[in-house]
Amino acid sequence: MTDLTRLTASEIAGLVASGDASAVEVTQAHLDRIAAVDGRINAFLHVDTDGALAAARAVDERRAAGDELGPLAGVPVAVKDVLATRGVPTTVGSKILEGWRPPYDATIVKRLRAAGTVMLGKTNMDEFAMGSSTEYSAYGPTRNPWDTDRIPGGSGGGSAAALAAYEAPLSIGSDTGGSIRQPGAVTGTVGAKPTYGGTSRYGLVAFSSSLDTPGPCARTVLDAALLHEVIGGHDPRDSTSIPAPVPDVVAAAKLGATGDLTGVKLGVVKEFTGEGAEPGVTAAFREAVDTLTKLGAEIVEVSCPHFRYALPAYYLIAPSECSSNLARFDGVRFGLRVGDDGNRSLEEVMSLTREAGFGPEVKRRIMIGTYALSSGYYDAYYGQAQKVRTLITRDFTAAFTQVDALISPTTPFVAFPLGARTSDPYQMYLADLYTIPTNLYGGPGISVPCGLSEGLPVGLQVMAPTMADDRMYRVAAALESAVGTFTPPAL
Amino acid sequence: MTTTLPAYDDVVARYEPVIGLETHVELGTNTKMFCGCPTDFGGEPNTRVCPVCLGLPGSLPVANKAAIEATIRIGLALNCSIAEWCRFARKNYFYPDMPKNFQISQYDEPLCVDGYLDVEVNGETVRIGIERVHLEEDTGKTLHVGGATGRIHGATESLVDYNRAGIPLVEIVTKPIPGTGALAPEVARAYVTELRDVIRSLGVSDVRMEEGSLRCDVNTSLNRPGQEWGTRTETKNVNSLRSVERAVRSEMLRQASVLDAGGRITQETRHFHEDSGDTTPGRSKETATDYRYFPEPDLVPLAPDAAWVAELKAALPELPRLHRRRLQLQWGLSDLDMQSVLNAGAVELIEATVAAGATPAAARKWWLGELSRRANEAGIELADVGATPSQVAELQGLVDAGKLNDKLARVVLEGVVGGEGSPTEIMNNRNLEVVSDTGALTAAVDEAIVANPDVADKVRSGKVAAAGALVGAVMKTTRGQADAKTVRELILERLGVQS
Ligand SMILES: [Zn+2]
């Protein structure tokens, strides 16, 4: 019999729709796989066995009753622990929210449930999505299924590793500076960051409000597009959500899968080739560019001179917003409370709670952000960073007058060994060097596997104009049709 | 330290005050500023809450359009320019009654700027400049249990009620107001009164200072004539119109005594005390807070459509000042008479009573007379006295129809105020109608003549004035329910005397 965990989401949906497999069978197969391998991967912080089986049974009942099922009905999904799930623990990878069960569902989670997908559980992440290796999780690191001594990327390492370890065919991530794309790249999976405002942030525990973008993760481009279509679209509960239909990403992925990119003009970002990247990454990228040319794409080099300031601007804007967003974690209304012994003042309890509840990277960013927003420093730091953001946006808009989409390696390096970059924050921050500009601009970006470097996956990033998410799916699907998907060694 | 305060006249002879007012108005929208929770008062603690106004992780604000509209209307009524584009900002500080530990407010990009409000003080018009009108959210309420002071320090427990958290608040800030001299306290009061009336006329808030839906902070400074403006203090906890006036006056006297002694005024927040009428310093820590304002990234900028703003402007109601002038003309009142109507807070009540059919004079008589007396005695607002304009108009109708005389009308009014029903019902139920049955009256008159033969003789002999004693006797037997004029005519008729 087929191993249901090795199938794509669209294949599973087909089996469930035709009755060749029940949603319960599919779900049980994935729960069994999690039980078998997650001890070595630690992709999940919480597995919702009962909830998943109940959701699967509901799909089977609806099918038996002759109800029409959505395109992903009965397909298991793993959800990054950054999204609020009603009654199901939501920790954001932090001790400060240990045991918190939200009284409400994030909009994306609501849409996943309405579509008949089956939520398996919540995936591991760097605390508050701050990190690039998932080593900053308060609940232990996630390991890369390609090599369990290496990191799976971050902050959404759990969501990416769950795919690569065949624990789930689909997962949800969130991308503030690369937290979907970079883990996708280093685990040989597909990760898409939609246009900012194209997916709802309601129920996404905020790190940096103007950058956070939830999005789909999958093992194939088509699966990512199918998931994107289910979770995307306007949400009146999110003021920054764009009131426009989701671009037709599924049709674009199918078009791309024909392997024809004739008439598509792609720009290679000059500033992101060579500089700082590992030779193996550069080589795999060059080879992918040749492949894209063979598929009919016209390739030109494009300069985006301000991209080099993206990293410093990001490390002012994101911490500034986080210093304010994370102020609510004070032990008063939810989550951890420390020192409430009847003898301490409210202020002391609040500060002891935050001292004990936040990890070192979170504290570092709160400190940076508090400083950058302080009176007298605001203009020099936060204000200046916003100007850089405007210049980066101009680089993008200028580039998109010449090309349909931009391409670059997703990350400068492949999965590195656990512990290799935790002692120097800057070395860790470099992992997001190529992904951050897209967040500052607000456009969509996708990472698709393009080859291997010394046996480890390399990702290619496609960046498109805002609300032209379909373009990146077409290019990514075309590349995938040529290079195929990548399977890690057996665990 | 107790110092003897200088005399007020003396102070204003030597110093010039500059005042400024910051007013917060709770809007009467159906739902909160950034979520769908109801805004009504009186629920059990923490029953008007949701993930958004509790600031739960992941929740997001969405701006209430009705609140934005109300703020723009206030701005327009105060002659402000409405921003074509503006943003909300986060004001960051830790306090448990603020669910997110930041308040969504507006900072350097308010919705309305640069307007004015004309107020009248002693018959003179004073133009108060309006610096800005902006929109923000209210906080919850913290209750400190135990400890001696009821304040956070020393409390054994703190309870927080978030029902009020997220109620839309409009902040209206004046420009500094120099040049008012001795009238500064009255100008401050007149401004807040006029502002209250303007906002009430817009129907966007019930603007009640006692309930906190209108709150006021008063800035005061003193300088020697011809010198630069002095250091200002900000007085909070000013909870009535009278307190606005007292707070300015008290702060002027205090500052003068400090300056007279060669001291310096500290820029600080002070608290006004209703009972003693003076101010004491607040925590100096508050003034040192760095709020780390930055644009609220969870909300898209506001860009009110120019056509919509024009529509709102065209639809503004007649503003109180113009409205009052029109009424004064219609009612034929002198400035002085109009002032007493205003002081009694009776403009709208008289207007509604006239609309219900009474003459302006009669309406004014009831509201400024009997009803004002009752309100004063009970220490309540005239509007809360227990009689409605339509009841007063009905009562006057009964008087005009001769069914009630003045004295009986007062008795009926007492029933109205006591909640016994409509004037007609009370008159009927308590059998208070004027006795107009001539048969019954004639009998009573004859009885009085028989009982007072000496008086009757005097009247017969032409001393008509003596009839008063007989009228009194008849009124007594009819328990006041007869019309005195009718009684008098009947007596003269029975005694064969021409009236
Ligand atoms: Zn609410």
Side-chain angles (χ1 to χ4, degrees):
Chain A
M1 188 191 155
T2 344
D3 181 352
L4 294 168
T5 64
R6 297 274 157 168
L7 304 178
T8 65
S10 46
E11 286 165 349
I12 291 171
L15 291 181
V16 172
S18 66
D20 290 329
S22 71
V24 168
E25 283 174 283
V26 170
T27 302
Q28 193 57 57
H30 285 90
L31 290 171
D32 291 347
R33 174 73 180 171
I34 293 168
V37 304
D38 206 51
R40 278 170 284 160
I41 302 298
N42 197 29
F44 283 85
L45 292 178
H46 178 82
V47 179
D48 187 17
T49 305
D50 294 345
L53 288 170
R57 271 193 298 276
V59 170
D60 289 335
E61 280 160 20
R62 278 173 54 208
R63 190 190 167 273
D67 288 1
E68 199 176 316
L69 299 178
L72 289 178
V75 180
V77 167
V79 175
K80 190 178 180 183
D81 210 24
V82 72
L83 286 166
T85 43
R86 189 187 177 108
V88 176
T90 301
T91 68
V92 207
S94 180
K95 285 286 174 204
I96 211 158
L97 270 188
E98 191 165 19
W100 185 56
R101 289 170 189 262
Y104 76 106
D105 270 334
T107 295
I108 283 183
V109 172
K110 259 189 199 163
R111 289 182 181 175
L112 287 173
R113 293 192 202 279
T117 66
V118 173
M119 189 180 79
L120 294 171
K122 308 296 288 292
T123 59
N124 200 5
M125 57 187 285
D126 285 299
E127 185 178 3
F128 279 95
M130 299 173 195
S132 306
S133 67
T134 316
E135 290 168 289
Y136 293 136
S137 167
Y139 303 96
T142 297
R143 289 161 184 272
N144 193 326
W146 286 79
D147 175 350
T148 52
D149 289 330
R150 289 175 185 267
I151 59 97
S155 64
S159 281
L163 300 172
Y166 297 97
E167 296 171 278
L170 295 174
S171 60
I172 300 291
S174 72
D175 193 311
T176 305
S179 288
I180 288 176
R181 290 162 289 161
Q182 183 257 359
V186 301
T187 58
T189 59
V190 177
K193 172 219 173 295
T195 296
Y196 178 82
T199 42
S200 167
R201 290 186 298 117
Y202 189 77
L204 174 86
V205 180
F207 159 21
S208 178
S209 309
S210 73
L211 301 165
D212 296 342
T213 314
C217 311
R219 286 192 297 263
T220 71
V221 175
L222 177 62
D223 282 358
L226 288 164
L227 186 54
H228 188 144
E229 194 169 57
V230 163
I231 61 172
H234 182 242
D235 176 14
R237 284 182 178 275
D238 175 357
S239 161
T240 61
S241 161
I242 297 170
V246 187
D248 199 343
V249 292
V250 173
K254 286 178 177 167
L255 175 63
T258 62
D260 184 4
L261 288 177
T262 310
V264 176
K265 198 170 174 183
L266 298 175
V268 174
V269 180
K270 186 180 149 202
E271 286 76 10
F272 287 171
T273 43
E275 187 197 329
E278 286 175 354
V281 168
T282 306
F285 176 70
R286 288 288 168 209
E287 209 171 305
V289 171
D290 289 346
T291 305
L292 290 167
T293 312
K294 282 180 200 143
L295 295 172
E298 186 191 339
I299 310 282
V300 295
E301 196 176 62
V302 174
S303 175
C304 297
H306 298 99
F307 280 18
R308 54 189 290 224
Y309 304 113
L311 195 73
Y314 174 87
Y315 277 100
L316 287 170
I317 292 169
S320 293
E321 292 181 4
C322 109
S323 72
S324 174
N325 282 331
L326 269 57
R328 73 190 64 192
F329 300 91
D330 59 5
V332 173
R333 290 160 305 275
F334 46 78
L336 184 73
R337 180 185 290 179
V338 175
D340 185 14
D341 57 6
N343 297 317
R344 289 195 171 90
S345 74
L346 237 157
E347 271 172 20
E348 284 174 299
V349 171
M350 282 161 99
S351 88
L352 285 169
T353 300
R354 291 167 67 79
E355 167 68 35
F358 290 138
E361 181 62 21
V362 170
K363 284 178 187 159
R364 178 156 43 235
R365 297 201 195 188
I366 290 174
M367 297 287 284
I368 294 172
T370 304
Y371 183 81
L373 289 176
S374 298
S375 115
Y377 298 97
Y378 181 93
D379 290 339
Y381 295 116
Y382 187 78
Q384 200 68 9
Q386 291 293 359
K387 287 179 191 162
V388 170
R389 191 171 186 175
T390 304
L391 293 173
I392 286 167
T393 298
R394 282 188 199 154
D395 279 359
F396 271 107
T397 48
F400 291 134
T401 61
Q402 303 171 50
V403 297
D404 297 308
L406 291 169
I407 55 173
S408 74
T410 308
T411 65
F413 31 77
V414 294
F416 48 85
L418 284 154
R421 289 175 189 263
T422 40
S423 55
D424 182 352
Y426 185 69
Q427 287 304 313
M428 188 71 88
Y429 296 168
L430 285 176
D432 295 331
L433 192 62
Y434 302 158
T435 46
I436 281 173
T438 308
N439 295 84
L440 292 173
Y441 158 58
I446 192 169
S447 177
V448 60
C450 69
L452 297 176
S453 167
E454 290 173 29
L456 293 169
V458 175
L460 177 135
Q461 175 180 221
V462 187
M463 296 166 272
T466 50
M467 287 310 272
D469 305 42
D470 47 336
R471 284 192 207 172
M472 70 184 187
Y473 278 101
R474 184 182 172 191
V475 176
L479 183 67
E480 179 186 66
S481 75
V483 303
T485 53
F486 295 82
T487 306
L491 277 167
Chain B
M1 184 185 74
T2 1
T3 43
T4 316
L5 292 175
Y8 186 73
D9 289 346
D10 204 30
V11 167
V12 296
R14 286 180 290 120
Y15 295 101
E16 290 176 346
V18 179
I19 54 171
L21 295 110
E22 282 180 31
T23 313
H24 284 94
V25 175
E26 267 188 6
L27 293 179
T29 48
N30 294 325
T31 56
K32 290 186 180 180
M33 187 59 230
F34 298 114
C35 65
C37 289
T39 53
D40 52 333
F41 260 104
E44 286 292 307
N46 299 312
T47 53
R48 310 282 199 263
V49 293
C50 71
V52 177
C53 55
L54 282 177
L56 294 190
S59 65
L60 292 173
V62 176
N64 181 338
K65 195 185 173 191
I68 293 165
E69 180 177 316
T71 309
I72 292 176
R73 292 180 69 224
I74 291 172
L76 290 169
L78 298 176
N79 307 291
C80 289
S81 314
I82 308 304
E84 286 168 21
W85 189 91
C86 70
R87 287 186 288 192
F88 287 100
R90 289 190 188 174
K91 181 179 184 179
N92 294 286
Y93 63 101
F94 281 83
Y95 205 77
D97 62 15
M98 259 203 328
K100 304 180 291 290
N101 283 325
F102 62 79
Q103 181 190 30
I104 304 179
S105 180
Q106 294 195 279
Y107 182 49
D108 50 358
E109 299 163 316
L111 193 47
C112 323
V113 292
D114 198 22
Y116 62 85
L117 179 65
D118 285 337
V119 303
E120 269 164 53
V121 181
N122 288 357
E124 299 274 326
T125 299
V126 181
R127 178 159 289 189
I128 309 291
I130 304 292
E131 172 113 13
R132 57 188 282 151
V133 177
H134 81 236
L135 190 49
E136 60 188 28
E137 58 177 339
D138 209 346
T139 61
K141 296 264 177 287
T142 311
L143 182 69
H144 302 294
V145 184
T149 56
R151 299 192 63 165
I152 189 162
H153 297 289
T156 55
E157 252 183 318
S158 297
L159 303 172
V160 197
D161 176 7
Y162 294 104
N163 281 356
R164 307 304 295 160
I167 302 276
L169 266 190
V170 170
E171 182 175 322
I172 301 150
V173 183
T174 67
K175 294 175 181 170
I177 309 161
T180 56
L183 287 178
E186 282 164 275
V187 169
R189 178 183 181 149
Y191 164 76
V192 180
T193 309
E194 187 67 20
L195 183 67
R196 181 197 64 180
D197 291 350
V198 166
I199 291 169
R200 188 183 284 154
S201 77
L202 296 172
V204 296
S205 168
D206 60 5
V207 279
R208 284 173 179 261
M209 286 190 95
E210 327 78 64
E211 286 176 13
S213 58
L214 176 73
R215 300 167 219 161
C216 193
D217 301 338
V218 182
N219 293 330
T220 314
S221 74
L222 291 183
N223 59 274
R224 295 267 188 193
Q227 308 228 322
E228 274 183 33
W229 292 351
T231 304
R232 66 187 162 84
T233 58
E234 181 179 11
T235 308
K236 291 184 180 286
N237 197 33
V238 185
N239 296 327
S240 70
L241 292 172
R242 190 168 155 259
S243 298
V244 172
E245 191 172 339
R246 290 170 77 209
V248 173
R249 197 183 163 94
S250 141
E251 194 49 20
M252 283 168 67
L253 292 174
R254 187 193 69 83
Q255 291 188 14
S257 82
V258 172
L259 294 171
D260 284 346
R264 294 182 140 210
I265 303 301
T266 318
Q267 183 166 351
E268 63 185 354
T269 300
R270 301 184 65 86
H271 288 272
F272 181 72
H273 302 283
E274 197 81 36
D275 45 0
S276 61
D278 58 14
T279 66
T280 53
R283 285 192 303 161
S284 57
K285 205 176 152 191
E286 280 174 346
T287 53
T289 308
D290 178 356
Y291 293 120
R292 290 175 285 117
Y293 281 103
F294 74 106
E296 167 56 276
D298 283 332
L299 290 165
V300 287
L302 294 178
D305 179 48
W308 180 51
V309 172
E311 229 171 83
L312 294 177
K313 188 169 188 175
L316 282 182
E318 185 182 28
L319 293 177
R321 202 157 159 271
L322 300 174
H323 184 64
R324 286 196 302 267
R325 199 160 289 162
R326 185 167 60 77
L327 289 180
Q328 188 181 348
L329 275 174
Q330 276 175 9
W331 296 345
L333 298 185
S334 68
D335 285 355
L336 201 67
D337 286 346
M338 190 63 191
Q339 196 55 49
S340 52
V341 170
L342 286 173
N343 292 347
V347 177
E348 284 154 37
L349 296 166
I350 293 174
E351 193 184 4
T353 308
V354 171
T359 63
R364 193 161 66 92
K365 183 193 79 179
W366 285 115
W367 287 108
L368 293 196
E370 184 65 13
L371 290 167
S372 277
R373 187 183 60 74
R374 286 174 175 276
N376 285 341
E377 274 174 17
I380 54 175
E381 294 283 328
L382 189 54
D384 300 331
V385 80
T388 65
S390 63
Q391 287 169 332
V392 173
E394 184 183 337
L395 182 72
Q396 182 60 35
L398 294 172
V399 173
D400 292 344
K403 293 186 175 179
L404 291 177
N405 59 26
D406 223 51
K407 190 175 163 218
L408 288 172
R410 278 170 214 273
V411 177
V412 170
L413 185 61
E414 189 174 324
V416 169
V417 170
E420 287 176 38
S422 76
T424 308
E425 282 164 7
I426 295 166
M427 180 180 77
N428 292 338
N429 293 345
R430 290 175 45 172
N431 201 20
L432 293 171
E433 191 173 350
V434 167
V435 179
S436 54
D437 172 352
T438 330
L441 260 190
T442 308
V445 165
D446 289 347
E447 207 178 292
I449 290 171
V450 170
N452 300 283
D454 301 350
V455 181
D457 282 345
K458 277 184 190 165
V459 176
R460 281 197 195 92
S461 67
K463 287 184 179 163
V464 179
L470 294 174
V471 173
V474 173
M475 294 307 280
K476 199 171 175 187
T477 50
T478 57
R479 297 189 351 265
Q481 274 170 268
D483 178 45
K485 198 170 154 232
T486 312
V487 171
R488 186 181 172 84
E489 278 164 9
L490 257 180
I491 289 168
L492 296 181
E493 188 191 310
R494 297 301 277 186
L495 295 174
V497 180
Q498 290 295 324
S499 54

